[in-house]
Structure formats: C-alpha cells, structure tokens
Amino acid sequence: MLIAGVLTDAASGARYDNIDPATEQVIGDTADAGAADVDRAIAAARTAFDDGVWATDREFRKHCLRQLHEALQDEKEAFRTELVAEAGSPVSITYMAQLDWPLADAIAYPAELIDDFEWERTLPDTELFGAVSHRRVVKEPIGVVAAIVPWNFPIEVALNKIGPALATGNTVVLKPAPDTPWGAARIGRLVAERTDIPAGVFNVVTTSDNGVAEQLLVDPRVDMVSFTGSIGVGKRIVELSAATLKRTFLELGGKNAMVVLDDADFGAVIPQSMIACMHAGQGCALPSRLLVPRSRYAEAVEIATATFGGIAYGDPTDPANFSGPLVNARQRDRVLDYIRKGESEGARITVGGGRPEHLSQGYYVQPTVFADVDNTMTIAREEIFGPVLAVIPFEDDRDAIRIANDSPYGLSGSVWGGDPERADAIARGIRTGTLMVNGGMFYGADSPYGGYKQSGLGRQNGREGFEQYLQTKVVGFR
C-alpha cells in the first residue's frame, strides 16, 4: 500500500490471496488493511491538504501529473499482464477501454485542463447599502476524496477518478476492489517512485474487508466519496455518508438498450449485440436489452442466436477470445441464478444458458440469448453483469422509446437505423447519460460520463467531471 508517501504493509502484517478467475488459482497476495491503516491514510490525506501546497499550487500539480502520465506509459505492459491475471480481462480488450484508452488521456487531459479552466470569474459590481461592492467567484478543491473503484475496469475507473481529483487540488485515498488490488498498488508505487507528488497527497489502501473500507464513508475528515459500482453499494454509500453530508459521485451501472429500427441493416447491426459479452458482460455501459421491431423479431433472434453461438470465449490470455471468466465464483453463481430466473418467468433460451463443459476451471458462463422476453421480467429490469442478452420486441418508434425508458436505470444505450435523423430523434427521447447513434463513440477523458435515475449522481470526466471535485466560493469586497 501507499500511505503518507511510504510503501507499506498492513500494520497487522495481514495479507490476502489474489485469485486468477480464469484458473481459480492463487497468483500472489496483497496487503490486507485494517482499521488502523485506513485511519493512517485518511490522516495523511487530511494533513497534506490542510498544511501542504498541493491545493494552491496549480503549476506544481500539472508538473506532477505529467510525471505520473509518463510513468504509467512506461509500465503499460505490466498493467496489461496484471489486468488479464487478476480481473480475467481478455487481453484483446486491454487495447481499448480496459487500459490503452485511459492510459492515453485520463491523467493527461485534466493536467492540461488546469491551464484552460476558469478558476475565477468576476460578477458585476453592486451598490447595496449605498456603497459599491466588487464580487468574484472562486473555484477551490473540496479536500480529501475517497475514490472507491470496482473490479471490472479497475485501471480505467481509477485513473479517471485520480486525474481530475488531483488536478483540482484535492488529496486522495484510493480503495480498489478486493478482487483487483494490484493495479492500484502499482499506481501507488509509481506515484512514490516516479513523481514529486508530496507525501499524503495520494494514498492507496487495499483490503479484503469492505467493512473496513466503510471508514472512508463515515470519517468526518473525508470530504467526498467518488464511487463506481453496484446500485446496492451506492445506496449504502449515500446512507453512511449522509451523517457528515459528504459530496458523493456515484456511477451505478445500467440496463442499457440497443434499439434497432426497421430500416437498419439487420445482417450488419444485430451481430454487434455481441458487445454484451465483452469481458463476460462485466461492463456497466454494455447493452443487455436488444430492442427490435416486432415485424422483424424472428429474424433478429435468429441472427443474435447465431452470433452468440459463435463468440470465442475462454482463456483471457488468448487474443482470439472476446469473452473471459466472471471475476469470482459468487458473481458466476449470481449470473446463473438470473438465467434460471429468466427461464422460470417464461423467457426462452436460444443459445447458452449454463457453464461450459469444455472449461472445467475458471468462473465461466456461456454467452446466452433470451427470446420471448417481456420488459417486466427480472432479466429485463435488473443488471445481470454477465454475458446475457434479452431480445424484446417493440411496435413502433414511440414504443421503442417507451421500453428503453421503462427501467430504473439510465446510463447508456444505442440506436441503429438507416435514416440518421430518425435515429437521432429516438436517441433524444431516451433518458440516459450517454448514447451511441449508429456506432458513434462518446468515450474519452473529455466526455462527461454518468447516468440518469438510479444509474447514479454526477458525472465523471470532461469539464463537468472536473468541476465535480471543486467547491464554489463567492467573495464580495470593497
């Protein structure tokens, strides 16, 4: 771990095993923090913010973040190997959003935004009480930020929290998921060994016990919690942080709809629903509902079934495989329970539906397609987080929008159609924080990411995400 500028074990000496989800074998161990370690990390971050220059010296922050960016590039291949080993990520997707894309801009973009951002602005003078008052609006860092990241895209999410939080002058305690601690620990080592970031500004605490990590939510020395993960944990964070009224950023997943219109090229578009199986479906922006016109429903089911039946999955170190294992046995069993629930509610499995017979080790689930799905079914409403697609019919454009919006989530989705204006009109009617029309990508460190409804609070990345980590002060003076 990294606490107060020192690479350290847990105070108790405790460690826990790191498991490769593709082999179910122990690949190493990790420092297992207890309450005393979390307390030390919070204290270090608090002192560094209150007594150091990090919050006020923007040029110094930019210098340090550029150092970190370069250090991350130098260890790209080590990060790649670790992601495959501890997250079970197929190596092929590490060249995209899993690693290469965020390494390119997650730290570099907010570092450059330091120069472009409007840190102060002037309001018009007033003459209240018979005298002229000048006024200015000032943006200042919040303070200590607890950054809590998930196991599915652990480096991507961590860097996109670290970058803007540090660039805006905050100090950080980074808490990775218990299943994927090594990437965060590597970032901590790079901060300690390759940058001039002062002691305590950035801390990394790894622990197998999320109960220990809950100290970050209740400690009054922590000013903000930035969390990406499940809706259940997100609600828990709001509940525990309410006592001290911490600011919270929450990105809580989705039940994303891929809407295919009747004028789309089904042979070219429907196969793209296979993205639902990328990284075994463990992605909050991946589509899990395929909405198609009732008039072409049978055709869509047939194409989706053939597509999912041909998806290469298995050993994540093999570049040919698009889908790998679930992260652990608990998650695998959760996905299988959802599949059984779908069958019990009347949906029909057209391909997949269980554990693969040819993979005796690893937490694998077959790519699965459900037909005859009604949007009221559990598999259409709850986030499964596995390689499962539900195909749902709609009557017309208005009905497609209705079904897409008939969800407690509102994170992402896509619309596909031959008429771009028609597709865009439907996209404007869908209540999600991000959307793709005919494959247009929104991703980037400059692109605000987050959701409507129960998909979360606030935005990560972009100017909106940058300002998420700032307070607003107004000063009147004569």
Side-chain angles (χ1 to χ4, degrees):
M1 300 184 292
L2 176 65
I3 299 177
V6 178
L7 296 169
T8 180
D9 286 320
S12 67
R15 303 185 71 82
Y16 71 97
D17 290 339
N18 198 354
I19 307 296
D20 183 337
T23 65
E24 304 182 42
Q25 301 300 307
V26 175
I27 53 176
D29 58 16
T30 303
D32 196 359
D37 302 299
V38 177
D39 182 75
R40 283 194 298 135
I42 295 172
R46 185 77 259 169
T47 299
F49 182 82
D50 291 341
D51 299 338
V53 300
W54 188 257
T56 57
D57 192 335
R58 295 199 288 266
E59 281 300 315
F60 179 55
R61 296 203 300 264
K62 184 170 63 174
H63 159 75
C64 292
L65 288 172
R66 285 174 171 170
Q67 289 179 318
L68 179 57
H69 173 79
E70 292 303 320
L72 292 167
Q73 311 313 307
D74 290 345
E75 300 213 6
K76 179 187 292 186
E77 297 311 313
F79 279 114
R80 195 183 316 282
T81 300
E82 287 172 348
L83 276 167
V84 175
E86 68 175 356
S89 171
V91 67
S92 57
I93 72 167
T94 66
Y95 294 93
M96 299 181 286
Q98 185 67 272
L99 181 63
D100 282 15
W101 293 356
L103 276 189
D105 63 6
I107 302 298
Y109 171 77
E112 296 308 312
L113 192 54
I114 290 173
D115 284 341
D116 297 336
F117 189 75
E118 186 179 41
W119 296 95
E120 294 189 15
R121 75 178 191 272
T122 302
L123 298 179
D125 291 346
T126 66
E127 295 188 22
L128 301 176
F129 292 109
V132 175
S133 291
H134 312 294
R135 297 177 297 165
R136 65 171 178 264
V137 179
V138 183
K139 298 294 183 180
E140 298 178 340
I142 287 178
V144 176
V145 174
I148 304 173
V149 303
W151 41 258
N152 59 330
F153 283 74
I155 301 301
E156 194 270 349
V157 177
L159 294 182
N160 281 311
K161 293 185 185 300
I162 294 167
L166 292 178
T168 47
N170 300 283
T171 58
V172 173
V173 178
L174 175 65
K175 204 289 289 184
D179 293 288
T180 53
W182 284 357
R186 182 174 291 275
I187 295 171
R189 181 176 62 76
L190 292 176
V191 166
E193 297 179 354
R194 298 280 305 276
T195 79
D196 296 323
I197 294 176
V201 167
F202 181 70
N203 307 271
V204 179
V205 179
T206 56
T207 179
S208 64
D209 185 354
N210 283 325
V212 170
E214 286 188 349
Q215 289 175 248
L216 295 166
L217 313 179
V218 298
D219 195 305
R221 295 171 294 178
V222 176
D223 300 291
M224 176 178 174
V225 178
S226 180
F227 170 77
T228 298
S230 71
I231 188 171
V233 177
K235 290 179 178 179
R236 175 75 172 163
I237 286 172
V238 171
E239 177 185 349
L240 292 179
S241 62
T244 51
L245 289 179
K246 300 184 193 309
R247 183 178 296 183
T248 54
F249 164 74
L250 305 173
E251 192 269 282
L252 304 179
K255 194 66 185 174
N256 311 302
M258 176 180 175
V259 180
V260 182
L261 305 178
D262 55 11
D263 62 348
D265 181 347
F266 271 38
V269 171
I270 298 297
Q272 297 193 52
S273 64
M274 69 180 293
I275 196 71
C277 294
M278 185 179 77
H279 194 16
Q282 299 171 119
C284 52
L286 302 180
S288 53
R289 294 184 295 159
L290 174 60
L291 276 54
V292 297
R294 189 176 297 278
S295 61
R296 302 186 69 178
Y297 186 75
E299 178 187 359
V301 169
E302 181 180 0
I303 296 172
T305 299
T307 299
F308 275 55
I311 290 175
Y313 69 99
D315 180 4
T317 65
D318 184 346
N321 286 330
F322 183 68
S323 187
L326 281 300
V327 73
N328 54 39
R330 183 178 64 257
Q331 181 65 16
R332 177 201 59 201
D333 294 344
R334 178 177 181 271
V335 172
L336 292 172
D337 286 344
Y338 271 113
I339 291 173
R340 287 191 288 269
K341 183 72 170 177
E343 287 187 290
S344 70
E345 292 184 357
R348 172 171 57 94
I349 295 174
T350 64
V351 66
R355 297 176 62 177
E357 294 181 359
H358 69 287
L359 294 170
S360 59
Q361 287 186 313
Y363 309 122
Y364 293 97
V365 173
Q366 296 168 318
T368 301
V369 173
F370 273 105
D372 304 336
V373 179
D374 182 275
N375 202 55
T376 62
M377 293 179 177
T378 302
I379 58 170
R381 303 201 67 76
E382 297 185 12
E383 188 177 40
I384 298 174
F385 231 56
V388 181
L389 182 73
V391 189
I392 303 172
F394 62 81
E395 303 299 335
D396 53 26
D397 291 5
R398 185 174 181 179
D399 194 41
I401 295 172
R402 179 190 66 79
I403 295 172
N405 287 337
D406 182 18
S407 171
Y409 294 99
L411 181 62
S412 194
S414 63
V415 181
W416 304 78
D419 180 349
E421 291 186 5
R422 178 188 175 199
D424 186 61
I426 291 177
R428 290 176 182 273
I430 296 176
R431 301 189 65 237
T432 63
T434 58
L435 208 67
M436 296 181 290
V437 177
N438 288 332
M441 291 294 293
F442 57 80
Y443 184 88
D446 59 348
S447 175
Y449 181 69
Y452 291 18
K453 298 183 280 187
Q454 294 189 39
S455 283
L457 302 171
R459 292 296 181 269
Q460 185 159 286
N461 294 346
R463 287 180 178 269
E464 291 82 356
F466 194 84
E467 194 157 355
Q468 191 94 32
Y469 294 93
L470 292 168
Q471 290 280 24
T472 300
K473 175 186 289 182
V474 181
V475 181
F477 58 97
R478 294 177 182 171

Short mmCIF file of all heavy atoms in Angstrom, two decimals, residues 182-223:
data_model
loop_
_atom_site.label_atom_id
_atom_site.label_comp_id
_atom_site.label_asym_id
_atom_site.label_seq_id
_atom_site.Cartn_x
_atom_site.Cartn_y
_atom_site.Cartn_z
N TRP A 182 -3.99 -5.21 -7.46
CA TRP A 182 -2.61 -4.99 -7.90
C TRP A 182 -2.43 -3.75 -8.77
O TRP A 182 -1.41 -3.06 -8.67
CB TRP A 182 -2.10 -6.24 -8.64
CG TRP A 182 -1.76 -7.35 -7.69
CD1 TRP A 182 -1.82 -7.33 -6.33
CD2 TRP A 182 -1.31 -8.66 -8.05
NE1 TRP A 182 -1.44 -8.54 -5.80
CE2 TRP A 182 -1.12 -9.38 -6.84
CE3 TRP A 182 -1.07 -9.30 -9.25
CZ2 TRP A 182 -0.68 -10.70 -6.82
CZ3 TRP A 182 -0.64 -10.62 -9.23
CH2 TRP A 182 -0.44 -11.31 -8.03
N GLY A 183 -3.38 -3.45 -9.64
CA GLY A 183 -3.24 -2.27 -10.48
C GLY A 183 -3.14 -1.01 -9.65
O GLY A 183 -2.30 -0.13 -9.90
N ALA A 184 -4.01 -0.89 -8.64
CA ALA A 184 -3.98 0.29 -7.77
C ALA A 184 -2.67 0.36 -7.00
O ALA A 184 -2.09 1.44 -6.83
CB ALA A 184 -5.16 0.24 -6.81
N ALA A 185 -2.19 -0.80 -6.53
CA ALA A 185 -0.91 -0.82 -5.81
C ALA A 185 0.23 -0.38 -6.71
O ALA A 185 1.16 0.30 -6.27
CB ALA A 185 -0.66 -2.22 -5.26
N ARG A 186 0.17 -0.77 -7.98
CA ARG A 186 1.20 -0.35 -8.93
C ARG A 186 1.16 1.17 -9.15
O ARG A 186 2.20 1.83 -9.22
CB ARG A 186 1.04 -1.09 -10.26
CG ARG A 186 2.12 -0.73 -11.28
CD ARG A 186 2.02 -1.60 -12.53
NE ARG A 186 2.38 -2.99 -12.22
CZ ARG A 186 3.62 -3.46 -12.22
NH1 ARG A 186 4.64 -2.64 -12.49
NH2 ARG A 186 3.86 -4.72 -11.95
N ILE A 187 -0.04 1.72 -9.26
CA ILE A 187 -0.16 3.18 -9.39
C ILE A 187 0.47 3.86 -8.18
O ILE A 187 1.20 4.85 -8.30
CB ILE A 187 -1.63 3.60 -9.55
CG1 ILE A 187 -2.22 3.06 -10.86
CG2 ILE A 187 -1.76 5.13 -9.51
CD1 ILE A 187 -3.72 3.24 -10.98
N GLY A 188 0.20 3.33 -6.99
CA GLY A 188 0.78 3.90 -5.78
C GLY A 188 2.30 3.88 -5.80
O GLY A 188 2.96 4.84 -5.41
N ARG A 189 2.87 2.76 -6.26
CA ARG A 189 4.33 2.67 -6.33
C ARG A 189 4.89 3.69 -7.32
O ARG A 189 5.92 4.33 -7.05
CB ARG A 189 4.76 1.26 -6.74
CG ARG A 189 6.28 1.12 -6.81
CD ARG A 189 6.71 -0.30 -7.12
NE ARG A 189 6.24 -0.76 -8.41
CZ ARG A 189 6.76 -0.37 -9.59
NH1 ARG A 189 7.76 0.50 -9.62
NH2 ARG A 189 6.29 -0.84 -10.72
N LEU A 190 4.21 3.87 -8.45
CA LEU A 190 4.68 4.86 -9.44
C LEU A 190 4.62 6.27 -8.88
O LEU A 190 5.51 7.09 -9.12
CB LEU A 190 3.87 4.74 -10.72
CG LEU A 190 4.07 3.45 -11.52
CD1 LEU A 190 3.14 3.41 -12.72
CD2 LEU A 190 5.53 3.31 -11.97
N VAL A 191 3.57 6.58 -8.14
CA VAL A 191 3.47 7.90 -7.51
C VAL A 191 4.65 8.10 -6.56
O VAL A 191 5.29 9.16 -6.54
CB VAL A 191 2.12 8.05 -6.78
CG1 VAL A 191 2.15 9.27 -5.84
CG2 VAL A 191 0.99 8.19 -7.78
N ALA A 192 4.96 7.07 -5.77
CA ALA A 192 6.03 7.19 -4.78
C ALA A 192 7.41 7.28 -5.41
O ALA A 192 8.26 8.04 -4.93
CB ALA A 192 5.97 6.00 -3.81
N GLU A 193 7.63 6.52 -6.47
CA GLU A 193 8.98 6.39 -7.02
C GLU A 193 9.26 7.27 -8.23
O GLU A 193 10.43 7.55 -8.52
CB GLU A 193 9.22 4.92 -7.39
CG GLU A 193 9.19 3.97 -6.20
CD GLU A 193 9.40 2.52 -6.59
OE1 GLU A 193 9.45 2.23 -7.80
OE2 GLU A 193 9.53 1.68 -5.67
N ARG A 194 8.21 7.71 -8.94
CA ARG A 194 8.45 8.38 -10.21
C ARG A 194 7.89 9.81 -10.26
O ARG A 194 7.98 10.44 -11.31
CB ARG A 194 7.82 7.56 -11.34
CG ARG A 194 8.40 6.15 -11.53
CD ARG A 194 9.71 6.19 -12.30
NE ARG A 194 9.57 6.88 -13.56
CZ ARG A 194 9.12 6.31 -14.69
NH1 ARG A 194 8.78 5.03 -14.70
NH2 ARG A 194 9.04 6.99 -15.82
N THR A 195 7.29 10.30 -9.20
CA THR A 195 6.72 11.64 -9.24
C THR A 195 7.15 12.44 -8.02
O THR A 195 7.65 11.90 -7.03
CB THR A 195 5.18 11.62 -9.28
OG1 THR A 195 4.66 11.38 -7.96
CG2 THR A 195 4.65 10.56 -10.23
N ASP A 196 6.92 13.75 -8.08
CA ASP A 196 7.18 14.65 -6.97
C ASP A 196 5.92 14.92 -6.15
O ASP A 196 5.90 15.87 -5.35
CB ASP A 196 7.74 15.98 -7.49
CG ASP A 196 9.09 15.82 -8.18
OD1 ASP A 196 9.89 14.99 -7.70
OD2 ASP A 196 9.32 16.50 -9.20
N ILE A 197 4.89 14.12 -6.33
CA ILE A 197 3.66 14.29 -5.55
C ILE A 197 4.01 14.16 -4.07
O ILE A 197 4.58 13.16 -3.63
CB ILE A 197 2.61 13.25 -5.97
CG1 ILE A 197 2.15 13.53 -7.41
CG2 ILE A 197 1.41 13.28 -5.01
CD1 ILE A 197 1.18 12.50 -7.96
N PRO A 198 3.68 15.16 -3.26
CA PRO A 198 4.08 15.13 -1.84
C PRO A 198 3.43 13.99 -1.06
O PRO A 198 2.35 13.50 -1.41
CB PRO A 198 3.59 16.49 -1.32
CG PRO A 198 3.47 17.35 -2.53
CD PRO A 198 3.04 16.44 -3.63
N ALA A 199 4.10 13.58 -0.01
CA ALA A 199 3.59 12.52 0.87
C ALA A 199 2.19 12.87 1.36
O ALA A 199 1.94 14.00 1.79
CB ALA A 199 4.54 12.33 2.04
N GLY A 200 1.30 11.91 1.28
CA GLY A 200 -0.06 12.08 1.78
C GLY A 200 -1.05 12.59 0.77
O GLY A 200 -2.26 12.46 0.97
N VAL A 201 -0.56 13.16 -0.32
CA VAL A 201 -1.49 13.66 -1.35
C VAL A 201 -2.24 12.51 -2.02
O VAL A 201 -3.43 12.60 -2.31
CB VAL A 201 -0.74 14.50 -2.40
CG1 VAL A 201 -1.60 14.76 -3.64
CG2 VAL A 201 -0.30 15.83 -1.78
N PHE A 202 -1.53 11.41 -2.23
CA PHE A 202 -2.16 10.24 -2.85
C PHE A 202 -1.82 9.01 -2.02
O PHE A 202 -0.66 8.73 -1.74
CB PHE A 202 -1.65 10.07 -4.29
CG PHE A 202 -2.27 8.90 -4.99
CD1 PHE A 202 -3.61 8.92 -5.37
CD2 PHE A 202 -1.53 7.77 -5.28
CE1 PHE A 202 -4.19 7.84 -6.01
CE2 PHE A 202 -2.10 6.69 -5.93
CZ PHE A 202 -3.43 6.71 -6.29
N ASN A 203 -2.85 8.27 -1.64
CA ASN A 203 -2.70 7.09 -0.81
C ASN A 203 -3.48 5.93 -1.42
O ASN A 203 -4.52 6.14 -2.04
CB ASN A 203 -3.23 7.36 0.61
CG ASN A 203 -2.62 8.59 1.23
OD1 ASN A 203 -1.58 8.53 1.88
ND2 ASN A 203 -3.25 9.74 1.03
N VAL A 204 -2.98 4.72 -1.24
CA VAL A 204 -3.66 3.52 -1.73
C VAL A 204 -3.80 2.54 -0.57
O VAL A 204 -2.81 2.20 0.08
CB VAL A 204 -2.88 2.84 -2.87
CG1 VAL A 204 -3.61 1.58 -3.35
CG2 VAL A 204 -2.68 3.80 -4.04
N VAL A 205 -5.03 2.12 -0.31
CA VAL A 205 -5.31 1.18 0.76
C VAL A 205 -6.02 -0.03 0.17
O VAL A 205 -7.10 0.10 -0.41
CB VAL A 205 -6.17 1.81 1.87
CG1 VAL A 205 -6.47 0.79 2.95
CG2 VAL A 205 -5.46 3.02 2.46
N THR A 206 -5.41 -1.21 0.29
CA THR A 206 -6.02 -2.44 -0.20
C THR A 206 -6.52 -3.26 0.99
O THR A 206 -5.83 -3.38 2.01
CB THR A 206 -4.99 -3.28 -0.98
OG1 THR A 206 -3.84 -3.52 -0.16
CG2 THR A 206 -4.55 -2.55 -2.24
N THR A 207 -7.72 -3.81 0.85
CA THR A 207 -8.29 -4.60 1.93
C THR A 207 -9.26 -5.62 1.39
O THR A 207 -9.93 -5.37 0.37
CB THR A 207 -9.00 -3.71 2.97
OG1 THR A 207 -9.56 -4.53 4.00
CG2 THR A 207 -10.10 -2.88 2.34
N SER A 208 -9.33 -6.77 2.05
CA SER A 208 -10.30 -7.80 1.67
C SER A 208 -11.65 -7.59 2.33
O SER A 208 -12.61 -8.28 1.99
CB SER A 208 -9.76 -9.19 2.07
OG SER A 208 -9.64 -9.28 3.49
N ASP A 209 -11.72 -6.63 3.24
CA ASP A 209 -12.92 -6.42 4.05
C ASP A 209 -13.55 -5.07 3.73
O ASP A 209 -13.03 -4.03 4.12
CB ASP A 209 -12.54 -6.49 5.54
CG ASP A 209 -13.75 -6.40 6.46
OD1 ASP A 209 -14.87 -6.17 5.97
OD2 ASP A 209 -13.56 -6.55 7.68
N ASN A 210 -14.67 -5.10 3.01
CA ASN A 210 -15.32 -3.84 2.68
C ASN A 210 -15.87 -3.13 3.91
O ASN A 210 -16.11 -1.92 3.89
CB ASN A 210 -16.44 -4.08 1.67
CG ASN A 210 -15.92 -4.29 0.25
OD1 ASN A 210 -14.92 -3.67 -0.14
ND2 ASN A 210 -16.55 -5.15 -0.51
N GLY A 211 -16.06 -3.87 4.99
CA GLY A 211 -16.46 -3.24 6.24
C GLY A 211 -15.40 -2.29 6.76
O GLY A 211 -15.70 -1.23 7.30
N VAL A 212 -14.13 -2.68 6.59
CA VAL A 212 -13.03 -1.80 6.98
C VAL A 212 -13.05 -0.54 6.12
O VAL A 212 -12.86 0.58 6.62
CB VAL A 212 -11.69 -2.53 6.84
CG1 VAL A 212 -10.52 -1.56 6.99
CG2 VAL A 212 -11.58 -3.65 7.87
N ALA A 213 -13.30 -0.71 4.84
CA ALA A 213 -13.31 0.43 3.91
C ALA A 213 -14.43 1.41 4.21
O ALA A 213 -14.36 2.58 3.82
CB ALA A 213 -13.42 -0.07 2.48
N GLU A 214 -15.47 0.97 4.91
CA GLU A 214 -16.59 1.87 5.22
C GLU A 214 -16.18 3.02 6.13
O GLU A 214 -16.92 4.00 6.25
CB GLU A 214 -17.75 1.08 5.83
CG GLU A 214 -18.50 0.24 4.80
CD GLU A 214 -19.77 -0.39 5.35
OE1 GLU A 214 -19.97 -0.34 6.59
OE2 GLU A 214 -20.56 -0.92 4.54
N GLN A 215 -15.00 2.93 6.74
CA GLN A 215 -14.49 4.08 7.50
C GLN A 215 -14.41 5.32 6.62
O GLN A 215 -14.60 6.44 7.10
CB GLN A 215 -13.09 3.78 8.04
CG GLN A 215 -13.04 2.77 9.16
CD GLN A 215 -11.61 2.46 9.55
OE1 GLN A 215 -11.12 1.36 9.34
NE2 GLN A 215 -10.93 3.44 10.12
N LEU A 216 -14.11 5.10 5.34
CA LEU A 216 -14.00 6.24 4.43
C LEU A 216 -15.32 6.98 4.29
O LEU A 216 -15.34 8.17 3.94
CB LEU A 216 -13.54 5.75 3.05
CG LEU A 216 -12.13 5.16 2.98
CD1 LEU A 216 -11.93 4.43 1.67
CD2 LEU A 216 -11.08 6.25 3.15
N LEU A 217 -16.43 6.30 4.53
CA LEU A 217 -17.75 6.89 4.35
C LEU A 217 -18.24 7.66 5.57
O LEU A 217 -19.06 8.56 5.44
CB LEU A 217 -18.77 5.79 4.02
CG LEU A 217 -18.36 4.78 2.94
CD1 LEU A 217 -19.46 3.76 2.74
CD2 LEU A 217 -18.04 5.49 1.64
N VAL A 218 -17.73 7.31 6.73
CA VAL A 218 -18.24 7.92 7.96
C VAL A 218 -17.26 8.90 8.60
O VAL A 218 -17.66 9.71 9.45
CB VAL A 218 -18.64 6.84 8.99
CG1 VAL A 218 -19.74 5.96 8.43
CG2 VAL A 218 -17.43 5.98 9.39
N ASP A 219 -16.01 8.84 8.22
CA ASP A 219 -15.00 9.69 8.85
C ASP A 219 -15.20 11.15 8.42
O ASP A 219 -15.23 11.46 7.22
CB ASP A 219 -13.59 9.23 8.44
CG ASP A 219 -12.51 9.83 9.33
OD1 ASP A 219 -12.46 11.07 9.43
OD2 ASP A 219 -11.72 9.07 9.89
N PRO A 220 -15.35 12.08 9.36
CA PRO A 220 -15.59 13.48 9.00
C PRO A 220 -14.40 14.15 8.32
O PRO A 220 -14.56 15.24 7.73
CB PRO A 220 -15.90 14.14 10.35
CG PRO A 220 -15.28 13.25 11.36
CD PRO A 220 -15.38 11.87 10.81
N ARG A 221 -13.22 13.53 8.37
CA ARG A 221 -12.06 14.11 7.69
C ARG A 221 -12.11 13.90 6.18
O ARG A 221 -11.35 14.54 5.44
CB ARG A 221 -10.77 13.51 8.25
CG ARG A 221 -10.51 13.84 9.72
CD ARG A 221 -9.35 13.03 10.27
NE ARG A 221 -9.65 11.60 10.30
CZ ARG A 221 -8.80 10.66 10.70
NH1 ARG A 221 -7.56 11.01 11.08
NH2 ARG A 221 -9.16 9.39 10.71
N VAL A 222 -12.98 13.02 5.70
CA VAL A 222 -13.17 12.79 4.27
C VAL A 222 -14.29 13.69 3.78
O VAL A 222 -15.39 13.69 4.34
CB VAL A 222 -13.50 11.31 3.99
CG1 VAL A 222 -13.80 11.10 2.51
CG2 VAL A 222 -12.35 10.41 4.43
N ASP A 223 -14.03 14.46 2.74
CA ASP A 223 -14.99 15.45 2.26
C ASP A 223 -15.86 14.95 1.11
O ASP A 223 -16.95 15.49 0.88
CB ASP A 223 -14.25 16.71 1.79
CG ASP A 223 -13.43 17.34 2.91
OD1 ASP A 223 -14.04 17.86 3.85
OD2 ASP A 223 -12.19 17.27 2.84
#
